[in-house]
Amino acid sequence: MALPPRWRPRVSRCAAAIRLFALLTFPSALLACRFYYWCGCALEYIKHHADNRQPDMIHCHDWQSAPVAWLDHGSAKTAFTIHNLNYGADLIGQAMAATDVATTVSPTYREEISGNPAVAPHYTKFFGIRNGIDPDIWDPAEDALLPRGYTADDVIEGKAAAKAELRKRMKLSNADVPVVGVVTRLTHQKGIHLIKHAAWRSLERGAQFVLLGSAPDPKVQAEFQELSNQLAEQYPDRARLWFAYDEPLSHLIYAGCDIFLVPSVFEPCGLTQMIAMRYGTIPVVRKTGGLNDTVFDVDHDEERAKAGGMEVNGFSFEGMDEGGMDYALNRALSRFFGERDWWNMLAKRVMQMDWSWNSPALDYLELYYRALKK
């Protein structure tokens, strides 16, 4: 959208100052310049909007929009959200100091990063609010990407149809065994060493294994391509790794799998475990960040779940070693093979859980009111 002529001198002056500041202060200056420029333009637009409407709150996210918290934003209050402290900690620290209130995307991740120098001095205005998923996009009852829709009432039939289609797409054999699935970026954060181990372990236990994802690092991509070749040789009709971004296939994996793995080294919130449960697929996760706040182990977390008004809904493990992964995955596979009625009841239960934005949105409204009262 073209800027009105009267705004162009203001934006140009603001952009020039921002570019100079970025080049002098931020290590990744060329990249940062674009975001400083964008932040300045956005604030100029707000201040000189044709209808002269000024916002009560401006909510900015991560280092890319951190400058909004300290640049001139008029009389508006600011909220700042950390989605991943692994990037841009210096700018995040400046935003934390300047903002009126701050959040991150799960209560557990808030505690995990509370000692970081960018966060610690501002802990009293820092809150953890879980992310949500869009229940209209991730709705197995109305999902046109599935062979048939289903709800918690007919989860067995619905998932059976999705599993049959998934096996057809991935050229897997039809057998009465669980399908273990992964949908992820193949990066260190996502626990790639545990994903590799889980692939072999699942197959050793008689299950099938599917993965959808790709690696930005060519070396990691090559490692997974080699893994794919090895699995194809040893288990030609029981394992398939698909290296691409393929949203239609992701819907089919969420619905067609029985077990969904998220063994992240760290995970500020995570959405895939919530999406999987929406489709009646049982998560196996590492206890970190938002995974800890959304998955409650069926054998160990009943009291913790009740304290949060929840029910047990999956399997989890601590540590980052293969033994921990085995502990959770083996329990899940044993329950599927040995307690099918119990498993089907669990699938129905997880489908009925609410992972939408309904509750988190109310938490954000309360936080905005807190900021406006300051």
Side-chain angles (χ1 to χ4, degrees):
M1 181 181 72
L3 288 170
R6 68 180 184 278
W7 292 357
R8 291 171 188 164
R10 297 188 185 106
V11 172
S12 296
R13 288 193 298 271
C14 179
I18 288 169
R19 283 195 298 270
L20 177 61
F21 179 74
L23 288 167
L24 292 175
T25 63
F26 195 63
S28 303
L30 294 177
L31 177 62
C33 276
R34 294 185 296 173
F35 290 105
Y36 270 93
Y37 181 86
W38 170 70
C39 291
C41 290
L43 289 174
E44 285 294 309
Y45 177 84
I46 290 171
K47 285 187 290 185
H48 303 285
H49 192 279
D51 294 337
N52 198 31
R53 293 179 297 180
Q54 295 300 305
D56 296 314
M57 291 290 308
I58 299 176
H59 195 153
C60 41
H61 300 259
D62 270 348
W63 69 265
Q64 293 92 339
S65 61
V68 170
W70 68 79
L71 292 175
D72 180 10
H73 45 261
S75 61
K77 300 292 185 178
T78 57
F80 177 73
T81 295
I82 300 172
H83 291 265
N84 193 335
L85 190 56
N86 210 39
Y87 306 99
D90 291 340
L91 281 178
I92 287 175
Q94 294 179 63
M96 289 290 294
T99 193
D100 294 290
V101 291
T103 72
T104 192
V105 292
S106 71
T108 296
Y109 190 61
R110 174 192 185 236
E111 298 307 313
E112 290 174 346
I113 65 175
S114 62
N116 188 283
V119 174
H122 318 291
Y123 186 74
T124 57
K125 63 178 178 182
F126 185 48
F127 303 87
I129 301 177
R130 171 186 61 80
N131 276 344
I133 61 173
D134 188 330
D136 293 326
I137 294 175
W138 303 107
D139 181 5
E142 301 291 338
D143 195 331
L145 298 172
L146 302 183
R148 55 159 286 184
Y150 63 95
T151 67
D153 292 332
D154 58 349
V155 59
I156 298 174
E157 295 81 5
K159 288 187 69 63
K163 183 186 288 188
E165 180 62 23
L166 176 63
R167 283 171 166 162
K168 180 181 178 181
R169 288 275 303 275
M170 304 298 265
K171 295 181 173 57
L172 303 178
S173 61
N174 291 314
D176 187 22
V177 300
V179 179
V180 179
V182 178
V183 177
T184 189
R185 290 178 293 110
L186 298 173
T187 64
H188 171 72
Q189 174 192 342
K190 301 301 182 179
I192 53 178
H193 66 295
L194 295 176
I195 293 173
K196 294 175 185 177
H197 175 74
W200 290 109
R201 187 60 180 156
S202 298
L203 295 164
E204 289 167 0
R205 288 291 311 273
Q208 297 177 331
F209 183 86
V210 297
L211 177 145
L212 172 63
S214 59
D217 183 340
K219 181 180 178 181
V220 174
Q221 185 65 56
E223 292 174 0
F224 272 86
Q225 184 60 61
E226 177 61 23
L227 174 64
S228 177
N229 295 340
Q230 293 172 354
L231 295 177
E233 181 177 352
Q234 296 192 38
Y235 301 98
D237 61 349
R238 288 175 49 202
R240 192 74 65 229
L241 279 59
W242 194 260
F243 303 121
Y245 176 82
D246 189 331
E247 184 168 346
L249 181 56
S250 74
H251 285 241
L252 195 57
I253 290 174
Y254 287 125
C257 286
D258 302 286
I259 297 169
F260 192 85
L261 299 182
V262 195
S264 301
V265 174
F266 69 96
E267 194 65 65
C269 180
L271 300 179
T272 58
Q273 79 280 7
M274 294 186 280
I275 296 170
M277 286 188 278
R278 176 87 165 132
Y279 284 74
T281 301
I282 309 305
V284 173
V285 307
R286 183 172 173 271
K287 292 175 74 74
T288 184
L291 301 175
N292 183 58
D293 295 322
T294 55
V295 178
F296 301 89
D297 193 285
V298 298
D299 296 317
H300 305 297
D301 282 338
E302 186 171 353
E303 290 186 9
R304 186 171 72 90
K306 286 183 178 179
M310 305 292 289
E311 295 183 272
V312 292
N313 57 2
F315 300 83
S316 59
F317 65 97
E318 300 185 51
M320 290 182 285
D321 59 286
E322 295 174 352
M325 175 85 259
D326 282 347
Y327 175 67
L329 181 57
N330 283 338
R331 286 186 293 129
L333 291 169
S334 294
R335 287 291 185 93
F336 182 93
F337 281 120
E339 302 178 50
R340 192 66 58 85
D341 289 341
W342 177 91
W343 186 273
N344 291 335
M345 288 178 59
L346 184 62
K348 181 175 182 177
R349 178 190 303 167
V350 300
M351 285 194 71
Q352 295 170 324
M353 291 181 161
D354 182 9
W355 302 113
S356 72
W357 277 101
N358 291 341
S359 179
L362 294 176
D363 292 336
Y364 272 108
L365 286 176
E366 182 178 341
L367 198 66
Y368 293 156
Y369 282 120
R370 178 191 294 263
L372 292 171
K373 292 176 181 177
K374 291 184 67 173

